[in-house]
Amino acid sequence: MPTGLNPDAIIECVPNFSEGTDEGVVAEIVAAMQVEGVRLLDWTLDGAHNRSVVTIAGPPAAVVESAVRGVGRAAKLIDLTRQNGVHPRIGAADVVPFVPVSGVTLAQCAMLARQAGLEIWRRYGVPVYFYEAAAARPDRVNLEDVRRGQFEGLRETAHKDAARRPDVGGPEIHPTADADSAGRASGLPGSAQADITAARAIARAIRAASGGMHGVKALGVVVNGRAQVSMNITDFRMTPMRQIHAAVRELARNHGAVAKEGEIVGLVPQEAWEADAEWVREVPGFAPETKVLERRLEHPLPWPGE
């Protein structure tokens, strides 16, 4: 563990696994993550994206161990050569972000991500790329750059192009589980509805990588016959959700489309939640008791099989 950690520190980890249709597989992955001291806060399956999101929290050492075990089980159970979905992915465990909650800094979370990546390679032979604050090189700060070409592209180029090789392990990637991305995020995933042409234009306008809003990752996709702007907000303090929501609605109007409703995948930090905000009202069935991180910490979910 990084030196100088507060013994009472709490971190969150939100691994995204590339399986959203087989609940049994995801339940097995989640069950493998049960470690003493770690609280299971949320786990969801998204069949359209073929992706599941798990949220855990607890002491840093225990959360790192839990995340590493989850990646190992996912590598055994998920075969990316047989998997597809609308969401980009490079790994069976596509991203494994570590998020500071209390008593811990962003820099310390980045070091925890580095430690987790080394352990994933040592135990399971799964290569790892580091991104965001944990990035080992400047061209990998943006997750979009790491994911370029997805699993299929990396399979063809990682072993022969030094610029595409993993930060840990390799140079070849895992034949079926590929490489995982470990990093730090202060995230708030969400979505809004629009025509697909408009959705892609909106995503391009607001995402930071295209010169848009700080800390915003976005792409336009079609889910269940509807267009969606899928977002991950990595710095809600610098760019509040209400600001992003207002920008999406205005851009939609400019494209002759309407943003009808929103969706939150995972949990929202207390600091990011705005009880009377319009973006909250547009999320069907939003319940702060189950969707606000700090409240969920007090009432965690049982682990599968308990």
Side-chain angles (χ1 to χ4, degrees), residues 23-133:
E23 184 173 357
V25 167
V26 177
E28 186 172 340
I29 293 170
V30 175
M33 298 172 67
Q34 185 172 0
V35 172
E36 184 175 358
V38 176
R39 283 165 275 185
L40 176 62
L41 306 185
D42 191 58
W43 62 290
T44 59
L45 281 78
D46 185 334
H49 289 86
N50 203 2
R51 194 173 182 85
S52 58
V53 178
V54 180
T55 305
I56 57 174
V63 169
V64 168
E65 176 64 21
S66 175
V68 169
R69 291 184 187 182
V71 171
R73 189 59 56 91
K76 290 182 178 180
L77 297 177
I78 299 173
D79 183 348
L80 286 184
T81 66
R82 301 172 180 269
Q83 187 268 2
N84 58 73
V86 301
H87 200 289
R89 82 284 185 265
I90 64 168
D94 183 50
V95 290
V96 186
F98 293 88
V99 183
V101 175
S102 63
V104 64
T105 67
L106 171 61
Q108 287 170 325
C109 276
M111 293 303 296
L112 291 167
R114 294 282 190 91
Q115 178 185 345
L118 290 169
E119 196 63 19
I120 288 166
W121 168 249
R122 186 185 70 82
R123 291 192 203 178
Y124 309 114
V126 175
V128 177
Y129 292 84
F130 297 120
Y131 71 100
E132 291 277 350

Side-chain angles (χ1 to χ4, degrees), residues 145-167:
D145 295 329
V146 177
R147 275 207 193 112
R148 190 175 68 253
Q150 297 197 60
F151 164 68
E152 292 78 9
L154 283 177
R155 184 173 55 184
E156 298 300 321
T157 61
H159 66 287
K160 56 187 178 183
D161 183 353
R164 300 292 285 151
R165 290 176 184 171
D167 292 306

Side-chain angles (χ1 to χ4, degrees), residues 220-242:
V221 295
V222 176
V223 178
N224 295 326
R226 301 178 71 186
Q228 182 184 84
V229 180
S230 181
M231 296 178 285
N232 193 340
I233 292 78
T234 62
D235 191 346
F236 63 84
R237 295 178 183 88
M238 182 70 72
T239 312
M241 189 59 193
R242 63 179 179 276

Side-chain angles (χ1 to χ4, degrees), residues 260-293:
K260 294 182 178 178
E261 65 182 41
E263 175 188 10
I264 298 294
V265 179
L267 303 180
V268 179
Q270 178 72 42
E271 190 179 347
W273 177 53
E274 304 165 289
D276 298 323
E278 189 173 0
W279 70 266
V280 174
R281 293 195 299 269
E282 290 184 358
V283 178
F286 186 96
E289 293 75 18
T290 59
K291 297 302 286 185
V292 173
L293 170 64

